[in-house]
Amino acid sequence: MKARVTVTLKTGILDPQGKAIEGALKALGVDGVASVRQGKVFDIELAGDDRAKAEAALKEAADKLLANTVIENYRVELLG
């Protein structure tokens, strides 16, 4: 089974890397960029076919390792 965990900064948390990317895009002449927020994506393959167990394991992994839940949100998607 394949899964994707997407981690993003919570609203209100400053994103200096996103600001740097925004500035670089504007310097490259990319028009219409209002703002950029960056994050992380983890594509994970899991053995087994128990979707509920897989989702619970991924949420635990995100809480303990993949995301800093003080400043980041995460979303778990089971893809297959």
Side-chain angles (χ1 to χ4, degrees):
M1 175 181 333
K2 293 183 180 183
R4 177 169 287 159
V5 179
T6 305
V7 179
T8 56
L9 288 170
K10 291 182 177 181
T11 303
I13 300 297
L14 295 177
D15 184 1
Q17 189 172 1
K19 280 290 185 195
I21 294 166
E22 178 185 330
L25 288 170
K26 289 177 180 178
L28 288 172
V30 178
D31 293 329
V33 176
S35 69
V36 176
R37 305 269 299 167
Q38 64 91 33
K40 302 176 274 190
V41 175
F42 301 91
D43 289 330
I44 301 171
E45 279 198 47
L46 302 159
D49 58 359
D50 185 335
R51 293 178 73 81
K53 185 176 177 182
E55 187 170 0
L58 290 168
K59 285 182 178 180
E60 183 177 358
D63 282 331
K64 291 182 177 180
L65 175 67
L66 303 177
N68 176 349
T69 57
V70 173
I71 62 169
E72 295 175 316
N73 294 317
Y74 65 85
R75 182 177 71 244
V76 173
E77 300 171 83
L78 299 176
L79 306 172

